Amino acid sequence: MTNSNVRRMLIATSSLIVLSGCGANDIASPGTGGNVTINNVTPAPTPAPTPTPTPTVALVTPAAGCPTIAATPGLAEGGTITGPTGTYRVCTLPSVVSRSSTLPRLPGVLYQMNGRVDVGTDQGATTTGTTNVVLTIEPGVILYAGSGTSWLAVNRGNSIQAVGTPTQPIIFTSRDNVQGLNTETSTGQWGGVVLMGRAQITDCAAAAAVPGTTGCERQTEGAIDPAVYGGANNTESSGRLSYVQIRYSGFVLSANSELQALTTEGVGSGTVIDHIMSYNSSDDGAEFFGGRVNMRYYVSVGAEDDNLDTDTGVKGNFQYVLVAQRAGTESRGTDSIIEADSDNGVDGNTPRQNVIVSNFTFLHRVNNASANAAILLRGGTDYSLLNGFVIATQSPSCLRISRAQTASATADPAIDELGAPVFRSVQMQCGATPFTGINGVTNADVQAIFGPGANNNSATYTPSFTNTFINGATETAVAAFNPSNVHAASGIPTLTGGRGGQPQFFDAVTYAGAVRDAADTWYTQWTCNSTALNLGSNTGMCTSLPTF
């Protein structure tokens, strides 16, 4: 019998068995003309589905050991450290990185700064070149401070190449952050990152020194051991910092002096700084002492003092700046978004400070009647604010100017004076007293300098931001000033070689504010999130480490 015949017999037999098993009420006999009736049997209850487990991120496991670097001594094995994201191998940097070295990103490795870590040794004010020792840090590397007095010092004649990526930023942070002990208000747990260069500065440490020369040097504030900067090389490079987070900085090193998240001191214009985030510094988000500074894409969140502090003759260009203070930091008493220079006996030194900031959004959230202002200009500084928004309804004022020299409208090349501060396409939402003057400057003087109604400025702006800081309809309607023309633009005082002799830097833009619209996402991915500012970051909350 063929296989097909066997199958037919089995099917037929099975059909007969099924039919013989049916009752009279199931199916009428074929050929009788009766109706076909089907009784619906109540189905058994469907079992409840087993919940799908929520995906979890695998905890980090420690690497077997530390990598070898060129410096002697090299990295020291520091055991392991455990936090909410896993357990890591601790590789401790030497106190002096003596030779050019690279810190590679290795799964399960954290690099520890246990006290001050020097990149090279000071090469003095008169030597040339910054390749004596170069510290290279690979994308995704995390360095943490093992003690409060830890900080990274890049000395004159040496440099750093800390270049992250949008998806793998480099993170400098604290031990408590690694261990998951921090909250949204934790601050001041280690020093910070300091770049020291040989460009011109003022306020010389030696009374007989001439400002802006190789004899004019200064000591890093708070540093116990020598950490000297200053010289006369304005084009030198101290390296590059890109896609870098600096968290929980500002520990008091000595004499009630603390560092900022990022401090540059006499760095030259060859230094590249972009995509920098300061989070919860107990002092400034960033401070720039002298030199020639160019920085794009800067985010400062939660700083307890100032956010963009400029001193001692710096000539700086900043574009795309997003600042959000954290409410509840009023105890510091100052807490400005911008503090430019200091009122002291040598604020007439040259080079005179000249700073230009374009495309900014400032969220001033300090409710303190004794605080200075959202923007504080003093010490004879030259300053230009272009294409920006200031929200400062809780501040005593939006803009405060101190000293007649700061407010002077007279340009004077002999003293490197460019005239009064400049405002173009600046919109401010202020409290009861938008403008305040002090030390020979009246409130009316400040208002006249700002020029409400002129140059597209306003002190009665009402914001329409989406997601707290992204331009809405009101912001989009503000006509922008083209900052690429700022160094030789009509309507802005100029000297030979541009405003203050600075090279061209700014992108030509057609909008005001730090973030043009929802499609403008320069601030995402490489930053971290907090209740103070949700940046839509893939590195997660600032209170935790990312697991790339």
Side-chain angles (χ1 to χ4, degrees):
M1 182 180 294
T2 66
N3 287 337
S4 60
N5 289 335
V6 171
R7 283 195 296 272
R8 292 188 187 100
M9 289 181 64
L10 288 172
I11 292 169
T13 303
S14 300
S15 300
L16 289 173
I17 292 171
V18 169
L19 291 174
S20 65
C22 295
N25 293 327
D26 295 319
I27 301 179
S29 299
T32 62
N35 295 326
V36 177
T37 303
I38 300 176
N39 292 331
N40 294 316
V41 179
T42 302
T46 303
T50 302
T52 302
T54 302
T56 57
V57 176
L59 294 178
V60 174
T61 57
C66 294
T68 300
I69 63 173
T72 303
L75 299 170
E77 293 275 358
T80 60
I81 187 170
T82 299
T85 54
T87 301
Y88 301 82
R89 175 69 53 196
V90 176
C91 301
T92 302
L93 274 67
S95 59
V96 178
V97 179
S98 58
R99 297 175 59 188
S100 294
S101 302
T102 297
L103 300 182
R105 178 182 178 270
L106 296 176
V109 166
L110 293 180
Y111 296 97
Q112 177 182 220
M113 298 170 288
N114 193 17
R116 172 176 168 175
V117 173
D118 284 278
V119 177
T121 56
D122 180 33
Q123 300 298 296
T126 59
T127 58
T128 59
T130 54
T131 59
N132 178 57
V133 172
V134 181
L135 176 63
T136 301
I137 304 176
E138 290 188 347
V141 163
I142 300 175
L143 303 92
Y144 77 92
S147 63
T149 56
S150 300
W151 58 291
L152 184 67
V154 181
N155 290 289
R156 289 184 297 186
N158 308 278
S159 60
I160 187 171
Q161 291 291 329
V163 184
T165 68
T167 56
Q168 291 194 330
I170 293 165
I171 299 174
F172 293 88
T173 191
S174 67
R175 182 183 186 91
D176 282 1
N177 195 197
V178 174
Q179 295 179 309
L181 302 176
N182 282 345
T183 68
E184 293 277 344
T185 59
S186 299
T187 62
Q189 296 177 341
W190 67 292
V193 177
V194 180
L195 309 185
M196 290 168 274
R198 291 183 287 223
Q200 290 179 305
I201 64 169
T202 62
D203 296 39
C204 316
V210 177
T213 69
T214 56
C216 186
E217 300 175 309
R218 285 175 59 88
Q219 164 75 357
T220 298
E221 288 184 358
I224 300 173
D225 298 319
V228 181
Y229 61 95
N233 188 340
N234 289 333
T235 61
E236 198 171 59
S237 172
S238 293
R240 179 178 177 182
L241 294 173
S242 297
Y243 296 104
V244 171
Q245 295 179 25
I246 307 175
R247 307 178 180 181
Y248 306 107
S249 62
F251 187 84
V252 177
L253 297 179
S254 68
N256 201 32
S257 295
E258 57 268 90
L259 294 176
Q260 292 64 234
L262 172 64
T263 306
T264 73
E265 302 173 329
V267 302
S269 60
T271 309
V272 177
I273 309 174
D274 64 85
H275 295 89
I276 305 297
M277 180 182 188
S278 165
Y279 178 71
N280 275 22
S281 169
S282 65
D283 198 60
D284 300 330
E287 187 163 8
F288 306 90
F289 293 88
R292 302 292 187 271
V293 178
N294 298 308
M295 183 165 76
R296 287 188 176 93
Y297 304 113
Y298 169 51
V299 177
S300 180
V301 178
E304 293 185 349
D305 198 2
D306 309 308
N307 291 268
L308 185 61
D309 196 340
T310 48
D311 294 287
T312 61
V314 63
K315 295 188 184 294
N317 299 311
F318 302 90
Q319 190 167 24
Y320 314 114
V321 178
L322 175 59
V323 172
Q325 290 176 308
R326 191 181 72 251
T329 61
E330 292 83 359
S331 61
R332 292 303 301 259
T334 51
D335 308 300
S336 297
I337 299 290
I338 286 175
E339 180 182 307
D341 225 314
S342 302
D343 287 338
N344 58 36
V346 293
D347 63 18
N349 283 179
T350 59
R352 188 178 301 280
Q353 179 181 158
N354 176 29
V355 171
I356 304 169
V357 183
S358 182
N359 296 95
F360 58 89
T361 300
F362 295 160
L363 308 177
H364 189 276
R365 296 165 169 170
V366 178
N367 184 12
N368 185 357
S370 65
N372 283 314
I375 298 168
L376 173 61
L377 307 180
R378 58 185 183 178
T381 182
D382 292 318
Y383 217 98
S384 298
L385 283 168
L386 317 171
N387 303 320
F389 302 104
V390 181
I391 313 300
T393 55
Q394 299 184 77
S395 175
S397 68
C398 277
L399 175 62
R400 186 178 192 179
I401 296 178
S402 174
R403 294 209 183 194
Q405 185 66 60
T406 313
S408 173
T410 304
D412 185 352
I415 60 171
D416 195 18
E417 171 60 63
L418 298 174
V422 171
F423 301 87
R424 299 288 187 271
S425 298
V426 175
Q427 305 275 306
M428 305 192 302
Q429 184 185 43
C430 308
T433 308
F435 308 103
T436 56
I438 192 173
N439 293 330
V441 181
T442 68
N443 292 6
D445 291 336
V446 178
Q447 183 171 358
I449 290 170
F450 181 75
N455 298 309
N456 213 28
N457 299 327
S458 173
T460 58
Y461 147 75
T462 300
S464 66
F465 291 123
T466 62
N467 193 34
T468 309
F469 58 87
I470 299 173
N471 285 0
T474 303
E475 291 76 27
T476 301
V478 174
F481 177 87
N482 184 355
S484 68
N485 295 327
V486 69
H487 297 293
S490 60
I492 291 184
T494 59
L495 297 178
T496 302
R499 183 163 168 79
Q502 299 183 61
Q504 184 53 261
F505 166 78
F506 292 96
D507 294 333
V509 293
T510 57
Y511 63 94
V515 180
R516 180 183 61 241
D517 53 33
D520 185 9
T521 58
W522 64 262
Y523 56 87
T524 61
Q525 298 190 77
W526 58 275
T527 53
C528 59
N529 293 325
S530 65
T531 57
L533 200 65
N534 182 358
L535 294 162
S537 171
N538 73 339
T539 62
M541 298 296 290
C542 300
T543 51
S544 180
L545 297 188
T547 53
F548 298 119

